[in-house]
Amino acid sequence: MARKIGLITSGGDAPGMNAAIRAVTRYGVSLGYEIIGIRRGFRGLLDDDFVTLSLRSVSGIIDDGGTILRTGRCPETKTKTGMNRAVKTIKQLGLEGVIIIGGDGSLAAANAISKHGIKVMAIPASIDNDVCGTDETIGYDTALNTAVEAIDKIRDTATSHDRIFVVEIMGREHGFLTLDVGIAAGCEFVIIPELKYDINKIAGELRKGKERGKTSEIVAFAEGCGSSVDFAKKIEKLTGLEVRVSNLGYIQRGGRPTARTRILASKFGYAAMHLFHNKKYNHFVGITEGKISSAPIGKIINKNKKINDAELKLLRKLSI
Ligand code: F6P
């Protein structure tokens, strides 16, 4: 009888999750495992919602955004009853272990499940890139490119009208995506939760920028910093200049994964399966200084990833 492994995509979807599903399935099946896809995140374990993944059922998905397994947030896994139910289902299904693809919340759930004697592997996937222990998460590069492309377009209209734009970017309570978007789109300022800012100073700098002949100025504003609309109103009042707001929202989560995201997802999926097969359980995979890495999941739970200060300085230096 084939050894069975469960595969879950959980939390917010991220482009490239499908490429990871394909990698786990293709490599897993070739090693002799049966891969059981658990649908709609951990909820599938509570609702008995499964599908067997075959070599061919993952054909033609490497370039698709979203996740063929669907996903969701499942607060029940934080309760004793929900967790017990999920563990019971894993045992009833005869799963040898579960591979979880998701962000920090999903990795915390994976860690909690491992405490019940279930063998888990975790693959970081999130557009926020806020998972500790990896330089990059699946989906991040795609979201970054989507946001930069959107700001390039906003720049055209901002320049035509001599306007300031405040562009709101996702990232929950972190500013990794906003900072990189800011550098890549040549934004004048980034507002991120990790950094205190002085609105009077920013307004003053924006005014000075205009005086230096800038035709447009763009502030990349992380969603975790509160209301971008209120921020824009204050800037308009302080500068006396015309300010518009654009919230990029959920377009950042969709779309075809970039080649970089697909390669990362393929490497992560392969590495997770490889580690599992070699009995290195309860680990997450990551990429560190260009190399695929792994470490026990417990090491990254409740840890905060640090913003790169040099990048912040770079943005300000180049936006004069
Ligand atoms: O974690 C990914 C993310 O898109 C965050 O950037 C955002 O804050 C959150 O998910 C939105 O969550 P939901 O899909 O539950 O609205």
Side-chain angles (χ1 to χ4, degrees):
M1 226 170 61
R3 301 164 70 179
K4 287 191 203 169
I5 296 186
L7 180 61
I8 302 182
T9 50
S10 160
D13 61 334
M17 280 182 158
N18 281 328
I21 292 171
R22 173 180 175 272
V24 169
T25 304
R26 292 261 167 100
Y27 189 41
V29 170
S30 74
L31 290 171
Y33 292 92
E34 187 180 337
I35 308 295
I36 308 295
I38 294 150
R39 302 180 77 239
R40 296 190 166 81
F42 287 95
R43 183 155 306 285
L45 290 171
L46 310 183
D47 298 346
D48 294 332
D49 194 1
F50 323 114
V51 58
T52 297
L53 297 171
S54 66
L55 292 177
R56 294 285 72 80
S57 69
V58 294
S59 293
I61 64 166
I62 197 166
D63 56 337
D64 289 336
T67 155
I68 58 161
L69 288 177
R70 320 284 282 275
T71 188
R73 307 194 192 277
C74 185
E76 288 94 321
T77 52
K78 289 192 182 142
T79 68
K80 207 172 163 198
T81 321
M83 182 53 80
N84 287 342
R85 176 73 219 278
V87 169
K88 195 172 160 204
T89 309
I90 291 169
K91 289 185 177 160
Q92 275 171 349
L93 278 171
L95 301 180
E96 216 175 285
V98 184
I99 298 181
I100 293 126
I101 306 171
D104 54 355
S106 310
L107 268 49
N111 192 43
I113 285 194
S114 76
K115 302 241 163 80
H116 290 255
I118 307 291
K119 297 163 185 155
V120 300
M121 296 300 310
I123 300 180
S126 164
I127 65 156
D128 303 339
N129 200 23
D130 56 351
V131 179
C132 273
T134 183
D135 293 344
E136 191 172 329
T137 48
I138 293 173
Y140 179 63
D141 181 66
T142 306
L144 175 59
N145 278 283
T146 301
V148 168
E149 204 183 313
I151 296 185
D152 289 347
K153 289 173 181 160
I154 289 170
R155 182 73 77 177
D156 292 344
T157 176
T159 303
S160 305
H161 286 264
D162 283 297
R163 278 174 177 160
I164 293 172
F165 264 82
V166 175
V167 182
E168 186 175 321
I169 290 154
M170 274 189 169
R172 209 181 285 277
E173 65 268 13
H174 294 285
F176 301 101
L177 184 59
T178 305
L179 178 55
D180 278 345
V181 166
I183 293 170
C187 294
E188 276 62 27
F189 280 99
V190 290
I191 304 295
I192 55 174
E194 291 85 348
L195 251 195
K196 282 199 181 117
Y197 66 90
D198 176 345
I199 196 155
N200 292 303
K201 217 169 149 194
I202 290 174
E205 290 291 335
L206 287 167
R207 260 238 78 91
K208 278 189 212 157
K210 283 279 170 199
E211 285 157 18
R212 286 198 307 277
K214 276 185 177 277
T215 48
S216 66
E217 292 183 295
I218 296 183
V219 180
F221 187 95
E223 66 168 343
C225 290
S227 163
S228 53
V229 174
D230 289 349
F231 176 85
K233 276 185 194 151
K234 282 182 198 150
I235 292 288
E236 193 159 54
K237 209 166 160 210
L238 289 166
T239 58
L241 297 164
E242 230 184 341
V243 184
R244 292 286 187 274
V245 180
S246 197
N247 184 350
L248 300 189
Y250 288 87
I251 64 159
Q252 294 162 102
R253 286 239 297 254
R256 285 163 65 85
T258 58
R260 184 182 164 107
T261 287
R262 294 182 207 186
I263 293 167
L264 187 72
S266 302
K267 285 182 178 172
F268 277 5
Y270 182 91
M273 195 59 242
H274 183 75
L275 288 171
F276 190 92
H277 190 58
N278 287 287
K279 302 188 172 50
K280 213 167 169 194
Y281 306 123
N282 306 334
H283 275 54
F284 72 97
V285 296
I287 186 158
T288 311
E289 290 169 5
K291 290 208 174 73
I292 297 300
S293 53
S294 71
I297 300 179
K299 275 199 161 177
I300 52 164
I301 304 302
N302 300 326
K303 293 240 167 76
N304 256 336
K305 200 169 175 174
K306 296 251 172 328
I307 277 285
N308 185 337
D309 289 336
E311 285 197 354
L312 257 181
K313 282 188 191 134
L314 174 75
L315 180 134
R316 285 303 299 143
K317 277 257 175 256
L318 301 184
S319 66
I320 46 172

